[in-house]
Amino acid sequence: MARKLSNFLCFAVYSANLAFGRAYKPILDKVGLSYTQYIALVALAEEDDQTVGALGEKLFLESNTLTPLLKKLETTGYIRRQRDPADERQVRISLTPAGRRLVDKDLGAPLVGAIGLGDEFPAVQKTVTRLRDNLLRATKTGSEKR
Amino acid sequence: MARKLSNFLCFAVYSANLAFGRAYKPILDKVGLSYTQYIALVALAEEDDQTVGALGEKLFLESNTLTPLLKKLETTGYIRRQRDPADERQVRISLTPAGRRLVDKDLGAPLVGAIGLGDEFPAVQKTVTRLRDNLLRATKTGSEKR
DNA sequence: TCCGATTAGATCGGATACGATATAACTTCA
DNA sequence: TGAAGTTATATCGTATCCGATCTAATCGGA
């Protein structure tokens, strides 16, 4: 007999991610953002004027995902994209005042209660992060380019 | 100053989900499956001959996502889709012998070590599941149809 | 200095997610 | 029984992800 789906940690994480997206959706719809776009804004608020590559390292994404997403954020008016004059290959991303204001609103705050973890919250956050880093490290080794 | 990205539980879950997908990718590429397709197969192995709707409840997905995915799994030869004669609206999904064999291989087993949680594994799995259920419940109330 | 190698983004095609809507099959009840 | 309502699945458009590839800019060494 095969293992049960409910015993798969990967499924727990997969479905929890779906759940987060759905919980954020009604909040983000009001400001015209998708879930991923919001996460990118938070990363930009933490450090402004980043290159696409640096932002991608923080988000674990690459230009194939980020470029279209950032273009939409630029159209929406939350960020600016400009080529770095010192190295024209790079594109630097900065928050507009509107983008900064939006992140400062801390739109996710109302969800903390819904998550319902209480004191465990920081511990869970740390553990899931550790799990992610372990997985990424294990995936990376064995497929190195350099 | 805005909160740091690293303190967002939603980002931990989001990026851990990406990490799982990448860790599974080299394994699943060998058998011609995507990550989501594999998860669907595991759900089917747990209970065969389910309707699309029942499978969707387990996976927290609906027909708009499942129908195309299941059609691909059928083409690949891991499942069969057939209208229920008793109620032609329903489509019942069953594993083919090849699909059953594939799930029985427990392809995710080699990753348990890479996850690196040791004894914590079951506790983390439970906590993330609880967090998901809390979020879904909170999202659902306030947008009920009936 | 100049040409090959490297680097940063961008583009493209395939596979999810998801809201909105369509369609066909069942149910209900006047 | 037959029209209205409901249900199960399918289709469509938009937004991620990701591998593969392209292009333009920079770097490095003979």
Side-chain angles (χ1 to χ4, degrees):
Chain A
M1 165 61 185
R3 290 171 59 211
K4 289 178 62 183
L5 187 63
S6 59
N7 291 329
F8 278 71
L9 178 55
C10 66
F11 177 65
V13 169
Y14 165 84
S15 51
N17 184 51
L18 292 184
F20 262 118
R22 290 171 199 181
Y24 267 101
K25 183 135 212 322
I27 301 172
L28 295 178
D29 275 351
K30 293 197 176 74
V31 293
L33 282 178
S34 74
Y35 184 57
T36 310
Q37 287 169 7
Y38 177 64
I39 287 177
L41 278 190
V42 172
L44 280 166
E46 191 179 328
E47 183 185 341
D48 207 355
D49 210 41
Q50 292 183 80
T51 64
V52 172
L55 184 60
E57 276 189 36
K58 285 202 178 60
L59 298 175
F60 305 99
L61 294 173
E62 294 179 25
S63 68
N64 50 7
T65 300
L66 283 177
T67 297
L69 184 150
L70 293 172
K71 283 185 173 176
K72 278 164 212 146
L73 277 177
E74 184 180 40
T75 303
T76 317
Y78 289 126
I79 67 165
R80 262 196 316 273
R81 300 164 63 247
Q82 42 202 357
R83 291 274 164 190
D84 187 331
D87 183 345
E88 292 275 345
R89 289 173 305 180
Q90 301 186 141
V91 172
R92 295 202 167 269
I93 315 293
S94 49
L95 284 180
T96 61
R100 171 70 58 184
R101 275 196 302 277
L102 190 128
V103 175
D104 283 344
K105 279 189 193 166
D106 201 7
L107 292 173
L111 286 182
V112 175
I115 293 170
L117 292 181
D119 297 346
E120 295 178 77
F121 192 108
V124 176
Q125 193 271 321
K126 271 195 172 53
T127 307
V128 174
T129 301
R130 185 156 52 91
L131 138 68
R132 173 199 72 199
D133 291 338
N134 288 341
L135 272 177
L136 289 177
R137 189 165 35 249
T139 305
K140 209 163 187 67
T141 53
S143 66
E144 286 300 327
K145 297 231 181 68
R146 228 177 317 289
Chain B
M1 163 59 183
R3 290 171 59 212
K4 289 177 64 184
L5 186 64
S6 59
N7 290 330
F8 277 71
L9 179 55
C10 66
F11 177 65
V13 170
Y14 165 84
S15 51
N17 184 50
L18 292 184
F20 261 118
R22 290 170 199 181
Y24 267 101
K25 183 135 214 320
I27 300 172
L28 295 178
D29 275 350
K30 293 197 175 74
V31 293
L33 284 178
S34 74
Y35 184 56
T36 310
Q37 288 170 5
Y38 177 65
I39 287 177
L41 277 190
V42 172
L44 280 165
E46 191 179 329
E47 184 185 339
D48 208 355
D49 210 42
Q50 292 183 82
T51 64
V52 173
L55 185 60
E57 274 190 35
K58 285 202 178 60
L59 297 175
F60 305 98
L61 293 174
E62 295 177 24
S63 68
N64 50 7
T65 301
L66 282 178
T67 296
L69 184 149
L70 293 172
K71 284 186 173 176
K72 278 164 212 146
L73 277 177
E74 185 180 39
T75 303
T76 318
Y78 289 126
I79 68 166
R80 261 194 317 272
R81 298 165 66 247
Q82 41 202 357
R83 291 273 163 191
D84 187 331
D87 184 345
E88 291 274 345
R89 287 173 305 181
Q90 301 186 139
V91 172
R92 294 203 168 270
I93 315 293
S94 50
L95 283 181
T96 61
R100 171 70 58 183
R101 274 197 302 279
L102 191 129
V103 175
D104 283 344
K105 279 190 194 167
D106 201 8
L107 292 172
L111 286 182
V112 175
I115 294 168
L117 292 181
D119 297 344
E120 294 179 78
F121 191 108
V124 176
Q125 194 271 321
K126 271 195 173 53
T127 307
V128 175
T129 300
R130 184 155 54 90
L131 138 68
R132 173 199 72 199
D133 292 337
N134 288 342
L135 272 178
L136 289 177
R137 191 166 32 250
T139 305
K140 206 159 191 68
T141 53
S143 67
E144 286 302 324
K145 295 228 181 71
R146 226 176 318 291

